[in-house]
Every structure is written in structure tokens, then in C-alpha cells.
Amino acid sequence: MTTAVVSSREQRRPADHYRLGDVVRSEWTKFVSLRSTRWILVAFAVVGVALGILISALTGHAWPHLSPQSRANWDPTNNTLAGLIPGYLLIPMLGVLMMSSEYSSDAMRSTLAAVPKRPLVLAAKALVFAAVAFVVDEVVTFAAFLAGQKVMGTAPHATLGQPGVLRALVLSGAFLALMGLFGLGIGAIVRRSAWAIAAYAGVVLVLPMILIALPGHAWRFGPLIILGNSEAAVRILPGILSPWTGFAMMALYAAVALVAGGVLLVRRDA
């Protein structure tokens, strides 16, 4: 009887009285019920760990043949975290789909009818996505690292207690979550899945290659450059952003995309 009363009260609650917690629970249900969510996260986990092991084994096998300079720059943590490369696309793709799939299925009209406060909808989606992506990214990052270090053969290994290693692992997983939030923001801006994924690829993959060919050091601010050479590295090369500066830059990218997406979400029709 109590359940029926509570359910009845929830049904009578005006749409504009929904709170953030209510919308978060709704978005959580939608997000985890999508097959695309499960398949993308499983693919990232399997491929990320397997690729980390493979790259670690290959680089470890090459250790006896490396030059003294290459040995001096040896970074076993960075070598293993190269297995996160699939996440550069898979996690942001999931962010894009979390937003754009509702437009393609026309479910966004129902969502906005139930929750007229549109910024609240985007905020709930961002919170749900950030929580799931961060946990999964960290699990995959640590799993790839621990497994990869075991197959490096005679090459020097990295341990969690060494300076910079734990920081590299935690920031790498968190950085991928921010890339996913960037994809979520682009999904809110573009709305069509294919075009939004193409826009993300253009900004993250193509634009840095163009910047490298130009004078100056603008290429340093590309997300992939920051992730591969700063967040996931223990030995930071000269001219590369520091790990925390790079992390703040990615947070800025995600914030700008989400704010722009939120503004357009309010101004445009569903």
C-alpha cells in the first residue's frame, strides 16, 4: 500500500517540480538500458587491456635492442597506457550517442515534456555519464597497467609506488572521461550521431595534424597530444604541457562544449 501511495504521488508531481536527483535516476535507467552502452564499454575494456598487454610485450621484447638514448627515455607506464588508444574514440562516441540517440529516436520530445527545465536534463546526463565513464576508465587503466607490466620481460618495470605512476594512471582514466563529456557536449550541439562523431574526430584527430604543420606550438593543446605525452607519461618531454595543466585544458574543452550544447538545447526545438 505504501508503494502504491508513493507511486501515485510521483505520478501527480508537476513536471517542473522534478529535482536533479529525480532526473539523474531517469537518465541512469535510460543509459544503462541501452545496448550500445554495454557493447561500447565491454569493447573498450577488452580491447584496451588486450592492447595494453600486447604493446607492453612488444616494447619489452625490444628492450635489449634499444639504443642508450632510448633506454634513458624508457617509460614503461606510457608504453602500457598506449592500450587506451581505442578509448580515444569509443568513450567520446558513447558520450555522443547518449545525447544524439534521443534525437534520432524522437525520444527527446518525451524527455523534455517530462522535464521542461532543459539545462537540468543536460546536467543529469553529464553526471551519469561522468560517473560511469570515470569508473570504467579507471578500472581499464589499472587493469591494463598491472597486466602489461607482467609481460615486459627483462625491460625495467613500473610499480604503483614509483613517482608519477599513480598520477599517470588516475589522470589518464579521468582524462578519458572528460573526452567523453566533450563528446556529450558535441552531441548536444550537432544532435545527429554520424555528424557529431565526425565533428569530434575532426576536432580531436584532424585539427592537431593541421596545427603541427603550422608555426608555433598550438599543437601542444590537442587532446590526444596531452593525453599521450602528458597525462599517461611519467617522463614528460620538454615543450609538453604539465599533467595538471593538460588536465585543466581538457576540462575546459568539455565545459565549453557542454555550455554551448546547453545553450542550444534551450534555444532550439526538440
Side-chain angles (χ1 to χ4, degrees):
M1 180 179 293
T2 302
T3 303
V5 171
V6 172
S7 176
S8 176
R9 288 176 179 174
E10 289 294 330
Q11 291 176 1
R12 293 197 301 267
R13 178 183 293 180
D16 59 351
H17 284 187
Y18 280 112
R19 297 178 180 178
L20 179 61
D22 302 316
V23 187
V24 165
R25 285 191 291 271
S26 174
E27 292 299 331
W28 166 262
T29 302
K30 288 189 289 184
F31 188 55
V32 299
S33 65
L34 291 174
R35 284 185 296 178
S36 59
T37 299
R38 298 190 292 271
W39 281 110
I40 290 175
L41 292 179
V42 169
F44 169 58
V46 173
V47 177
V49 174
L51 191 57
I53 294 173
L54 177 61
I55 293 175
S56 298
L58 292 176
T59 54
H61 179 74
W63 170 258
H65 311 289
L66 295 180
S67 66
Q69 181 178 3
S70 296
R71 290 192 177 194
N73 294 324
W74 178 257
D75 189 342
T77 302
N78 187 258
N79 292 341
T80 298
L81 294 186
L84 298 178
I85 289 175
Y88 299 178
L89 183 60
L90 289 176
I91 298 301
M93 181 189 299
L94 185 59
V96 167
L97 292 176
M98 186 179 186
M99 195 74 195
S100 62
S101 62
E102 286 208 54
Y103 284 106
S104 60
S105 64
D106 210 29
M108 185 59 74
R109 295 182 183 275
S110 300
T111 297
L112 297 181
V115 187
K117 295 180 180 179
R118 299 186 176 197
L120 195 62
V121 172
L122 184 58
K125 288 181 180 292
L127 287 173
V128 170
F129 180 86
V132 174
F134 178 75
V135 171
V136 173
D137 292 343
E138 294 296 348
V139 169
V140 174
T141 298
F142 275 83
F145 171 80
L146 295 174
Q149 297 306 306
K150 293 182 179 297
V151 298
M152 282 197 170
T154 59
H157 296 57
T159 65
L160 293 176
Q162 292 176 348
V165 173
L166 187 60
R167 183 269 306 158
L169 297 178
V170 173
L171 287 190
S172 293
F175 195 94
L176 277 177
L178 287 176
M179 293 181 76
L181 287 174
F182 182 58
L184 178 65
I186 292 179
I189 295 170
V190 180
R191 300 200 290 186
R192 294 182 179 273
S193 299
W195 286 106
I197 293 172
Y200 167 82
V203 172
V204 175
L205 302 177
V206 179
L207 184 59
M209 292 189 292
I210 297 175
L211 295 177
I212 289 176
L214 298 177
H217 303 284
W219 55 271
R220 297 185 303 163
F221 300 99
L224 295 189
I225 298 295
I226 297 173
L227 177 57
N229 297 280
S230 181
E231 308 306 306
V234 173
R235 295 178 179 272
I236 311 300
L237 299 176
I240 300 297
L241 297 179
S242 70
W244 289 107
T245 301
F247 188 81
M249 183 60 62
M250 190 65 238
L252 179 62
Y253 288 151
V256 169
L258 287 171
V259 169
V263 170
L264 293 175
L265 181 64
V266 170
R267 293 184 176 181
R268 295 187 300 201
D269 294 334

